[in-house]
Amino acid sequence: MTGQTAAGAGRTAAGEVGRARLRKEDARLLTGQTNWTDNIAVTGLLHLAFLRSPMAHARITRVDVSAALERPGVVAAFTGRDLADGLGSLPCAWPVTEDMVLPAHPPLALEEVRHAGDPVAVVVARDRYAAADALEAVEVDYEPLPPVLDLEDALAEDAPLVHSDKGTNRAYDWPLRAGEDFAAVRERADVVIARRYRQQRLIPNAMEPRAVVVTPLAATGEYTVYSATQIPHILRIMLSVVTGVPEHKLRVVAPDVGGGFGSKLQVYGEEAVALAVARRLGRPVKWTESRSEGYLATHHGRGMIQDVEIAATREGRLLGLRVRLLADMGAYLMLVTPGIPILGAFMYPAIYKMDSYAFDCTGVFTTRTPTDAYRGAGRPEATYAIERIMDELAAATGLDPVEVRRRNWIRHEEFPYTSIAGLTYDSGDYEAATAKALALFGYDGLRAEQRERRERGDTVRLGIGVSTYTEMCGLAPSRVLRDLRYSAGGWEAASIRVLPTGKVEVVTGTSPHGQGHVTCWSQIAADVLGVPFEDVEVVHGDTLVAPQGMDTYGSRSLVVGGSAVHRAAEKVVARARRVAAHLLEASEDDLEFSGGVFAVKGSPEARRTIQEVAFATFTSHDVPEGMEPTLNAGHVLDPENFSYPHGTHLCAVEVDTETGRTRIRSYVCVDDVGRVINPMIVEGQVHGGLAQGIAQALYEEAVYDTEGNLLSGTMADYLVPSAADLPEFVTARTETPAPSNPLGAKGVGEAGTIASTPAVVNAVVDALRPLGVHDVPMPCTPERVWEAVRAARETRTDGEEAPA
């Protein structure tokens, strides 16, 4: 326990880090005292509504907003042409190759619409309902153009073009080669397996829809932009670029943000248009998306064809891996669209050793909603492919799926280990995580039950899925991002303000949207400074009060942002030590600091609490000569490496071969996320990640018709699982601290999503493999499972089951 014996007496020796603290954030959330962007109301507020294209691809021949201007409550209406002088193209910050095709992306379509939902006009009214009603009065004439939907057909010479001025639907080709030539390795292999996997499109479903409010200050030309965003600092820079408003005249605030999962790691046209309209009218404006609008206009995730080939020995040792990707960019390249598959390029080798690795990715334009970051961002796709094909290798060699992984993984004594993809994995123990998971799962007993049920010919089959993973977190060393042609750095900033009363304010450049930064940063600062947890306040999400930051994505917040807090707090202690030594008339080297108390070695009665030092510094009556009267300090940390969490996930499913229904019977995961700051928060992150990974395996898919219309455009059509659809999870951890940051942390926000999808699909296929089924396309719906069983039975002529 921690505590304080008297005012200003400091903390007890027990630490905060590692303690399951209830989240500080939750009281406001649970009592409705939150400040979502849509809650913001200011005098004279106007509301925006966007008219969106009902067609996937068409030429705009006429847009007439005049009738809308006659509608009650309407103040203004604009086409893309009306706002073109004040709006540039939306940004792409990741030109992955020098010759990447980068089309213009107007916030309001000008000449063509390129996906259903592309905005063509905006109506401004005194309330949101009047604005929405007036949309029906806007007249638009479209000349239909052919949709572009199939990734392979899009690359044909005679394919219709998404961007006719570019002459191609190929956005880029990005290769990576490492080790021996794959063709040579393939020649000497005993076993060669090739598979095609499809990553279906996913639609993010954050609890809070996107929203933006812009308030102008006409006298000074300043604007405050409130946005439900993960990236207030990046958004500020990019809005300045797009609209021409000087950066120092822009303040961006991310108030309470209700989830993001990457969908709010974006600079959206609605944000730019809102700023442009507020500037044009000199009035505050607000836009909040509807759910169905968000399904069309918020970027999607995944969307990829993966052709994967491995070469191995008959004993199951991997020799080489070849990956060819066709990645669906959608209609435009948004903030980091082209880079998402490239992040995965470094993760296809996963935890395995091999002699050869060949990777090629082709980005393809289609007339669908653009894709971009979605929880895991490239890493789940990579893990899915390698873990699925490792199960195929196990089947081909007659090995247990765990054993085939054991024969190929990097052993704990080999760390740090440079993977064939060029990453240096700094620490890990795959053996320990797997052993713990197998024990908790009861693996041997389930395999025995599986054999018995197969021998009985049960129609409900038991399947067991394995997924061992690692991922690159803590995005990222700035020099590595430079080499990948990413436009920004990977550093993070934090500062500590020690108030005269000894209370503490932590200012962080990370911007939380549900992760528990306020709680964890309080624990980190409390431990280093020796102050009570309750005495720490965390300030974030406002570019005026937290002017430096690179924001929140890629499981970087704790590893980079939390480490910056730790370093800034250490600087505060160093400054306080100097003052304490002066007050105690002792050498700094003779002071011990523990539990918030500076004491002279050998003379424990000679002591000063950090609160006493803070007040003495504030009065400045007796501080060291030449010292500024402040303990405040800041730190900007650029990580020296990524961090690499890892783990083993095991899933048991029961599959009814007559109906196709799949039920998850048990799920066990053991993750190693390095040093844990708050185990309760880690547990929540894992559970949330598992839900999203299982959702991809069994439930979710964005479906388009042949004309490019989104058929799964509402929550009635797009199946998001509830808690009732998910199993009880058994979670546990092993711990190998990361040596690359002062906290030893590795990141946990995406781990569950990355590992769970292949674990579930491997289990489904494992249940059906004796029937001749080697794959079930995601999501593994009852219809698809039933169809896979039917197709396998039709192709078999002898009526016998395949070898298990």
Side-chain angles (χ1 to χ4, degrees), residues 96-97 172-183 307 309 320-325 339-350 354-362 382 418-425 472 480 483-484 642:
V96 294
T97 63
Y172 64 85
D173 291 302
W174 194 93
L176 176 65
R177 297 290 184 274
E180 300 178 39
D181 178 68
F182 181 79
D307 286 308
E309 186 176 5
L321 168 67
R322 181 173 184 83
V323 178
R324 294 184 179 95
L325 302 184
I340 298 304
I342 307 308
L343 279 176
F346 299 97
M347 286 286 99
Y348 281 88
M354 60 193 73
D355 303 326
S356 172
Y357 176 46
F359 174 91
D360 292 276
C361 178
T362 297
T418 300
S419 78
I420 195 164
L423 298 177
T424 300
Y425 298 172
M472 50 195 286
V480 173
D483 295 342
L484 292 173
F642 296 98

Side-chain angles (χ1 to χ4, degrees), residues 241-253:
V241 171
V242 173
T243 65
V245 176
E247 186 182 350
H248 68 288
K249 296 290 187 179
L250 276 176
R251 174 189 179 190
V252 175
V253 181

Side-chain angles (χ1 to χ4, degrees), residues 207-275:
M207 292 180 69
E208 178 203 20
R210 290 192 293 122
V212 59
V213 172
V214 181
T215 61
L217 185 59
T220 60
E222 295 176 298
Y223 300 87
T224 298
V225 179
Y226 301 90
S227 181
T229 182
Q230 299 174 217
I231 53 167
H233 298 89
I234 294 173
L235 180 60
R236 181 192 190 202
I237 296 168
M238 294 303 185
L239 284 179
S240 177
V241 171
V242 173
T243 65
V245 176
E247 186 182 350
H248 68 288
K249 296 290 187 179
L250 276 176
R251 174 189 179 190
V252 175
V253 181
D256 293 312
V257 177
F261 314 121
S263 70
K264 294 171 183 173
L265 165 56
Q266 194 55 266
V267 178
Y268 283 105
E270 293 88 355
E271 293 164 319
V273 169
L275 179 54

Side-chain angles (χ1 to χ4, degrees), residues 319-392:
L319 298 176
L321 168 67
R322 181 173 184 83
V323 178
R324 294 184 179 95
L325 302 184
L326 291 180
D328 188 352
M329 304 286 98
Y332 303 100
L333 301 183
M334 298 191 75
L335 191 64
V336 292
T337 300
I340 298 304
I342 307 308
L343 279 176
F346 299 97
M347 286 286 99
Y348 281 88
I351 66 173
Y352 306 118
K353 297 179 284 189
M354 60 193 73
D355 303 326
S356 172
Y357 176 46
F359 174 91
D360 292 276
C361 178
T362 297
V364 184
F365 291 112
T366 63
T367 52
R368 288 185 280 220
T369 300
T371 60
D372 209 301
Y374 180 66
R375 197 169 189 168
R379 282 76 53 81
E381 298 93 312
T383 301
Y384 181 83
I386 187 63
E387 289 303 291
R388 285 287 294 111
I389 208 163
M390 286 299 285
D391 261 31
E392 298 301 303

Side-chain angles (χ1 to χ4, degrees), residues 527-753:
D527 256 12
V528 177
L529 299 174
V531 301
F533 169 80
E534 295 78 10
D535 286 359
V536 182
E537 191 73 22
V538 178
V539 181
H540 58 81
D542 184 337
T543 61
L544 182 64
V545 297
Q548 277 190 294
M550 289 302 296
D551 304 319
T552 295
Y553 41 86
S555 293
R556 71 185 302 273
S557 292
L558 177 62
V559 173
V560 190
S563 293
V565 170
H566 182 93
R567 292 298 191 208
E570 288 181 327
K571 290 182 178 180
V572 168
V573 173
R575 295 178 70 90
R577 180 183 297 274
R578 185 179 176 192
V579 176
H582 179 78
L583 295 173
L584 293 168
E585 299 181 347
S587 166
E588 291 183 45
D589 295 337
D590 290 337
L591 290 188
E592 296 176 323
F593 181 67
S594 178
V597 176
F598 292 96
V600 178
K601 296 175 184 177
S603 302
E605 70 284 352
R607 61 202 304 270
R608 289 290 189 276
T609 67
I610 195 166
Q611 291 89 346
E612 290 170 331
V613 172
F615 192 79
T617 306
F618 163 71
T619 64
S620 194
H621 293 168
D622 188 15
V623 295
E625 188 68 31
M627 181 177 175
E628 296 177 355
T630 180
L631 300 182
N632 299 348
H635 191 83
V636 178
L637 185 140
D638 200 337
E640 62 186 65
N641 192 5
F642 296 98
S643 66
Y644 300 95
H646 67 83
T648 298
H649 288 222
L650 301 170
C651 178
V653 301
E654 291 184 328
V655 181
D656 189 325
T657 58
E658 294 182 340
T659 67
R661 181 177 182 271
T662 297
R663 181 182 74 88
I664 298 179
R665 175 168 144 179
S666 61
Y667 196 102
V668 169
C669 62
V670 176
D671 297 294
D672 188 327
V673 298
R675 191 182 183 200
V676 171
I677 305 302
N678 187 317
M680 187 181 299
I681 289 177
V682 167
E683 193 83 352
Q685 287 285 317
V686 170
H687 281 205
L690 292 176
Q692 285 183 280
I694 292 170
Q696 178 172 9
L698 298 179
Y699 299 104
E700 296 187 22
E701 182 177 22
V703 179
Y704 287 82
D705 68 13
T706 56
E707 297 301 315
N709 300 304
L710 182 64
L711 299 180
S712 52
T714 71
M715 283 189 167
D717 310 299
Y718 184 88
L719 188 54
V720 180
S722 70
D725 299 305
L726 299 169
E728 293 284 337
F729 302 127
V730 177
T731 63
R733 290 186 298 277
T734 55
E735 184 174 311
T736 54
S740 57
N741 66 78
L743 298 173
K746 292 184 177 181
V748 70
E750 297 161 310
T753 302

